[in-house]
């Protein structure tokens, strides 16, 4: 079945530094990638949607200059948290699909726990 | 902002018990309802995608029903086993590709 590999699973960084999270589709072409964030005791919230080769579309309230999304290839999308602050500490998870499967084929990564100290 | 609610938030059952949880959502502009099973440190696993009012889907001991007119879906687990312990998420598609998630139901099955 379709697999999305997400790395790192956990990262601790100092305030002010940047952190990059990668999601790779291992056996399909991820034409669309979604990035979610989950704060404690809350549901997964969509941050942005990216289509391969296009600029990401960000949800209201998500700063595009802070959360840089790159989806330059059909198998790799990255989320970079720039100038991280403690309030960015959260769980980040990606989900990908392709044109053939559409809504029937959302495949998730296993998530990244970011802690900013 | 869509409001997708799941209840209960958590549930403890004994091995062998049958159980069910609820996902409620706005019925307007409905497109699809997804159920996922999510174990700690793993990727959410798709269980069902349901699109039609009255849909019933089954996968082994797990089944789900959908009522789009009143805006709810039930997930049933028959004869719960410890390996069923996980968080069960529902998510609503109402336009395009995006999913709006509920807060999940955390199921713990005691041996």
């Amino acid at each position: 079945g379709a697999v999305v590999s997400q790395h790192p699973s956990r990262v601790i960084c100092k305030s002010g530094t940047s952190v990059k999270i990668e999601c790779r589709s291992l056996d399909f072409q991820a034409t669309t990638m979604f990035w979610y964030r989950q704060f404690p005791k809350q549901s997964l919230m969509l941050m942005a949607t990216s289509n391969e080769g296009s600029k990401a579309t960000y949800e209201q309230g998500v700063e595009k200059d802070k959360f840089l999304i790159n989806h330059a290839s059909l198998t790799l999308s990255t989320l970079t948290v720039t100038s991280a602050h403690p309030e960015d500490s959260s769980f980040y998870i990606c989900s990908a699909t392709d044109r053939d499967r559409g809504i029937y084929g959302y495949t998730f990564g296993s998530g990244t726990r970011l802690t900013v100290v | 902002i869509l409001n997708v609610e799941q209840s209960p938030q958590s549930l403890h059952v004994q091995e062998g018990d049958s159980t069910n949880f609820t996902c409620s959502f706005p019925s307007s502009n409905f497109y699809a309802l997804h159920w996922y099973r999510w174990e700690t440190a793993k990727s959410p696993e798709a269980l069902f995608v349901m699109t039609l009012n009255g849909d019933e889907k089954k996968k082994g001991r797990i089944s789900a029903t959908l009522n789009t007119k009143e805006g709810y879906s039930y997930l049933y687990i028959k004869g719960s086993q410890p390996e069923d312990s996980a968080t069960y998420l529902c998510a609503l598609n109402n336009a395009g590709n995006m999913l709006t998630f509920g807060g999940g139901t955390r199921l713990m099955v005691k041996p």
Side-chain angles (χ1 to χ4, degrees), chain B residues 89-102:
Chain B
L89 297 173
C90 70
L92 177 71
N93 264 128
N94 75 325
N97 286 336
M98 69 172 283
L99 292 178
T100 301
F101 282 87

Side-chain angles (χ1 to χ4, degrees), chain A residues 4 32 34 36 38 43-44 46 59 91 93 103-104 106 108-110, chain B residues 31-32 34 36 38 42-44 49 51 93 97-99 101-103:
Chain A
V4 171
T32 304
F34 304 92
Y36 296 86
Q38 185 181 38
S43 55
L44 292 172
L46 182 65
E59 296 300 305
F91 182 80
I93 192 167
I103 68 162
Y104 294 93
Y106 295 123
F108 283 82
S110 53
Chain B
Y31 190 71
H34 301 244
Y36 290 90
W38 194 7
K42 294 187 177 179
S43 306
V49 181
T51 57
N93 264 128
N97 286 336
M98 69 172 283
L99 292 178
F101 282 87

Side-chain angles (χ1 to χ4, degrees), chain B residues 15 91 106:
Chain B
E15 182 176 356
R106 188 175 175 205

Side-chain angles (χ1 to χ4, degrees), chain B residues 2-60:
Chain B
L2 294 175
N3 202 23
V4 179
E5 300 279 350
Q6 287 188 251
S7 62
Q9 285 188 341
S10 65
L11 193 55
H12 294 251
V13 301
Q14 286 294 132
E15 182 176 356
D17 287 351
S18 294
T19 187
N20 66 85
F21 351 113
T22 305
C23 174
S24 60
F25 51 86
S27 53
S28 58
N29 298 318
F30 175 87
Y31 190 71
L33 193 284
H34 301 244
W35 281 100
Y36 290 90
R37 180 175 177 276
W38 194 7
E39 291 182 70
T40 304
K42 294 187 177 179
S43 306
E45 172 199 351
L47 291 174
F48 306 112
V49 181
M50 307 172 79
T51 57
L52 297 176
N53 184 45
D55 254 355
E56 291 188 26
K57 299 226 172 178
K58 190 175 180 187
K59 191 175 185 178

Side-chain angles (χ1 to χ4, degrees), chain A residues 3 16-18 20 27 29 46 51 56 58 61 87 89-92 94 101 104:
Chain A
V3 175
T17 61
S18 294
K20 181 183 283 189
D27 47 6
Q29 295 186 327
L46 182 65
N51 294 303
Y58 289 81
E87 58 266 29
S89 298
S90 188
F91 182 80
Y92 294 86
C94 64
R101 295 179 300 151
Y104 294 93

